[in-house]
Amino acid sequence: MRISKAWIVAVRDIKIFSRKRYVWYTLVLFPVLISVLFPVVIQYASDRTGAALIPRIPMLLDAFSIFLIIGAAFVPVSIATYTIVGEKVEKSLEPLLATPLTDGEILLGKTLSAFIPTLIAMSIGGIVYMAGMNIVTYPMLDYYYFPNWNIAAILLILMPAAIVMSVEFSVIVSSRVNDVRSAMNLGIVMFFPFLAIYIASEIGLITLDSYTYLLIAGGIFVVDVALFFLSTKLFKREEILTKWK
Amino acid sequence: MIEIESLTKKFDDLTAVDNLTLNVNEGEVFGFLGPNGAGKTTTVRMLCCLISKTSGNARISGYEIGNKEDSLKIRKLIGLVPDNVGLSENLSAYDNLDFFGKIYDLPDVQRKESIQRFLEMLDLWDKRNTPVGTFSKGMKQKLAIARALIHDPQVLFMDEPTANLDPEAAKTVRNFILELKKEKKTIFLNTHNLDEAQRICDRIAILNTKLLSTGTPEDLERAVKGRRTVIELEQVTDATAEAVQKLSPTNLTIEGNKIMFDTSDTEKPNWTVVEAIVLAGGHVNSVNVAGSTLEDVYLKMVEENK
């Protein structure tokens, strides 16, 4: 596996989809929504309820932080499906497969092209989110809630793992559909497990502490490994040329 | 350069290529003819190490297809122009070629020179920064050929390079292939276009899952009987008919003002017969050789194999 070759593929793919407006919307919109909307919600709630909100703030901030993982799972779907289904539609995979690149190098290149922009966008979103929340909650809490171990786990472990999961799932979806929109619609399935975690925390089924985050991270890694084997099995020259729809 | 021995590809119960054996020499333009579903693209894909073989062997420059290490070496030696051009439509012509140049490890200076040389050769240099999505089919096809040649491959595989092109664009592509022929590139050309095959190829193979025949276009024409000389006179008189009958040409028939017989030499009609007619006082309007062109050969072989 030559990383330099995968990098050539990644750079080309980033160049291609950076000219797609909807990819930019996805990359910018979700991080902006998380980093601006939630601090505004907390500020609004504080203005309405006053001191009654203070004991609930840590729980709310932890719950809202889940949206960083949801974003990490959601954003790369549009990129990953485009880089694979888009090439299927343009039929540009065959000449690429006829080069001395290995299947793994092509797949890694495509994974990197979705992983890197998403990680950058969501990390910036996460930092702005932490800053915004600190500004809004400091007058109530009298201390800066972020950074803490929970958000560190989210930004450094859960978010990258969720991006990998989403990209691998997108590869699998891309091998079975023929247009970008269908691939994206199916890829949105990635959104639901994390939404379920958020709802579970909101209704008190789970507590979002370090132990829970470790469990979630463990779960994502297991899914990552399973999807990795499945996606590498599907992303083979012969499969692509003879069995992909 | 390309040696194929009993190469077979099966997809479940379907045999796409059956026991194919042939050789392609270095510097040769080799035409691969066959109807849709004959196994032409499957053969090219096997030779380009894109899909596996079911059985048999094939070597390109001594490297074995199906061997994992050799596969990477083969893919460095070859260039592929697939039946769909497969260009990145959002990228410019320059960026499309630059990407492939980088994949083949061309040093910066050589890569830039090659890109400029091919784009100029194919009249695309002025459009180098234009997204490929705005190009005509002919321009895209030319760019796809340039992409396959960017690393100066030893063998070029072309799958229907002039299909779906207008006559002018097809002619440009054909002329470019003829230029490559002058450079002694080994070219494996899949085509439906018999006229193109006849004009460009040194040798031709006709495939319909199985190899039906192989040889030069002239060899193939000779292989099928039925090529006839047709001499049209102002009038067939008793004297001219008698003069021709004396020579006993094969399958002689006289219909109206036409004298017809089998041609032994596909290149030229039987001038002895023409001379005899003239000496007998006949006035010859025209002399033609009809039937058993490469098209006839192709259709006959494919029909017989159904």
Side-chain angles (χ1 to χ4, degrees):
Chain A
M1 172 81 77
R2 298 158 299 178
I3 305 292
S4 61
K5 296 291 180 193
W7 185 243
I8 294 170
V9 176
V11 169
R12 193 239 1 201
D13 283 358
I14 290 171
K15 206 170 191 175
I16 291 172
F17 68 68
S18 65
R19 293 170 192 189
K20 293 276 167 193
R21 213 180 300 169
Y22 74 87
V23 172
W24 280 107
Y25 290 155
T26 318
L27 270 177
V28 172
L29 200 65
F30 214 94
V32 166
L33 272 177
I34 292 170
S35 57
V36 174
L37 189 68
F38 289 135
V40 169
V41 168
I42 294 285
Q43 184 64 56
Y44 178 74
S46 149
D47 291 345
R48 282 181 63 103
T49 57
L53 183 70
I54 296 171
R56 294 196 65 213
I57 285 176
M59 192 217 47
L60 281 173
L61 295 192
D62 285 339
F64 287 164
S65 299
I66 288 282
F67 279 85
L68 288 169
I69 312 173
I70 292 174
F74 175 75
V75 172
V77 169
S78 63
I79 302 172
T81 51
Y82 183 77
T83 61
I84 297 167
V85 180
E87 286 221 276
K88 271 169 73 177
V89 173
E90 287 182 347
K91 306 210 181 283
S92 53
L93 268 176
E94 188 169 353
L96 185 62
L97 297 171
T99 66
L101 294 174
T102 63
D103 299 334
E105 286 161 357
I106 297 172
L107 184 58
L108 179 63
K110 297 205 164 290
T111 304
L112 286 174
S113 72
F115 182 86
I116 293 169
T118 307
L119 191 65
I120 291 171
M122 290 309 299
S123 297
I124 293 170
I127 290 165
V128 176
Y129 166 80
M130 285 192 291
M133 283 301 193
N134 278 343
I135 292 166
V136 170
T137 58
Y138 183 78
M140 292 176 266
L141 297 175
D142 223 16
Y143 67 95
Y144 290 119
Y145 189 76
F146 294 121
N148 56 29
W149 286 112
N150 286 353
I151 200 78
I154 287 173
L155 291 178
L156 301 176
I157 301 169
L158 287 160
M159 235 169 52
I163 296 171
V164 171
M165 183 169 84
S166 185
V167 171
E168 283 163 356
F169 184 75
S170 299
V171 171
I172 294 162
V173 167
S174 299
S175 70
R176 292 289 173 263
V177 297
N178 265 332
D179 67 286
V180 176
R181 202 173 292 272
S182 308
M184 282 183 192
N185 290 343
L186 284 167
I188 287 171
V189 167
M190 283 289 95
F191 187 88
F192 293 108
F194 300 107
L195 196 64
I197 292 169
Y198 170 75
I199 292 168
S201 75
E202 279 299 287
I203 59 175
L205 271 179
I206 56 169
T207 310
L208 290 173
D209 52 20
S210 302
Y211 177 72
T212 312
Y213 283 130
L214 276 177
L215 275 181
I216 296 169
I220 296 177
F221 277 123
V222 170
V223 177
D224 274 358
V225 171
L227 291 179
F228 171 78
F229 282 112
L230 194 54
S231 60
T232 48
K233 201 177 169 201
L234 284 171
F235 202 88
K236 290 198 182 302
R237 282 176 163 76
E238 185 141 10
E239 285 276 331
I240 293 167
L241 289 171
T242 60
K243 291 188 183 161
W244 279 27
K245 283 181 181 173
Chain B
M1 179 57 78
I2 304 173
E3 302 153 85
I4 304 172
E5 292 164 22
S6 308
L7 191 64
T8 299
K9 177 68 185 179
K10 289 182 180 174
F11 295 104
D12 300 322
D13 294 335
L14 176 81
T15 302
V17 178
D18 190 7
N19 212 25
L20 176 67
T21 299
L22 57 85
N23 288 315
V24 179
N25 303 318
E26 192 171 351
E28 184 174 49
V29 179
F30 191 86
F32 211 41
L33 294 177
N36 288 332
K40 302 188 301 291
T41 299
T42 302
T43 303
V44 165
R45 285 178 169 177
M46 280 193 282
L47 294 174
C48 293
C49 305
L50 289 170
I51 59 173
S52 62
K53 62 186 182 184
T54 304
S55 63
N57 291 305
R59 281 175 296 278
I60 296 179
S61 284
Y63 296 115
E64 188 102 23
I65 71 159
N67 176 308
K68 204 176 175 185
E69 283 178 14
D70 282 4
S71 292
L72 283 179
K73 288 173 185 161
I74 288 172
R75 287 204 289 266
K76 278 184 187 169
L77 293 176
I78 61 158
L80 170 67
V81 182
D83 53 351
N84 290 294
V85 287
L87 296 157
S88 298
E89 306 255 319
N90 289 305
L91 292 183
S92 67
Y94 192 97
D95 285 343
N96 265 283
L97 297 187
D98 193 50
F99 169 64
F100 278 82
K102 283 177 180 165
I103 285 177
Y104 285 103
D105 289 325
L106 295 186
D108 281 0
V109 176
Q110 191 190 337
R111 197 173 67 243
K112 283 173 186 165
E113 280 174 3
S114 290
I115 293 170
Q116 185 167 353
R117 185 166 72 90
F118 282 117
L119 290 180
E120 282 178 348
M121 200 188 288
L122 293 164
D123 291 328
L124 293 172
W125 181 247
D126 292 341
K127 297 266 185 185
R128 63 187 178 279
N129 295 320
T130 308
V132 169
T134 63
F135 281 15
S136 67
K137 276 184 181 174
M139 290 160 80
K140 285 180 185 175
Q141 191 66 44
K142 288 194 284 185
L143 189 62
I145 296 172
R147 177 188 59 198
L149 290 166
I150 195 77
H151 57 297
D152 194 21
Q154 288 181 22
V155 185
L156 183 63
F157 289 95
M158 304 177 103
D159 199 354
E160 306 283 355
T162 57
N164 305 318
L165 296 185
D166 62 58
E168 195 184 348
K171 192 183 171 195
T172 311
V173 170
R174 265 197 302 272
N175 288 342
F176 188 64
I177 298 171
L178 288 169
E179 285 297 314
L180 296 172
K181 187 177 177 177
K182 283 182 199 163
E183 290 179 21
K184 295 285 173 199
K185 281 252 179 282
T186 307
I187 299 174
F188 194 97
L189 177 72
N190 271 5
T191 183
H192 277 127
N193 189 326
L194 301 167
D195 179 50
E196 178 176 284
Q198 196 154 21
R199 276 198 267 173
I200 296 177
C201 299
D202 298 311
R203 282 196 304 139
I204 289 169
I206 299 176
L207 182 83
N208 196 3
T209 307
K210 289 177 180 170
L211 183 67
L212 304 181
S213 188
T214 180
T216 63
E218 295 76 27
D219 286 342
L220 293 176
E221 284 175 352
R222 278 192 206 104
V224 173
K225 288 179 182 171
R227 201 161 168 82
R228 287 173 67 78
T229 299
V230 180
I231 303 172
E232 191 178 337
L233 308 178
E234 265 182 16
Q235 192 186 1
V236 178
T237 61
D238 290 345
T240 50
E242 197 179 326
V244 174
Q245 278 160 352
K246 272 186 187 170
L247 295 170
S248 309
T250 317
N251 283 332
L252 175 70
T253 49
I254 299 172
E255 286 174 13
N257 58 346
K258 286 180 183 168
I259 296 175
M260 294 169 282
F261 52 90
D262 287 354
T263 310
S264 52
D265 188 335
T266 55
E267 287 298 293
K268 51 184 185 286
N270 191 333
W271 294 114
T272 319
V273 178
V274 177
E275 193 180 13
I277 291 169
V278 173
L279 288 174
H283 292 278
V284 177
N285 285 341
S286 64
V287 182
N288 290 302
V289 177
S292 284
T293 57
L294 183 61
E295 186 177 5
D296 297 319
V297 176
Y298 170 84
L299 293 173
K300 188 168 188 280
M301 286 186 173
V302 170
E303 193 61 35
E304 280 173 2
N305 188 251
K306 272 184 183 172

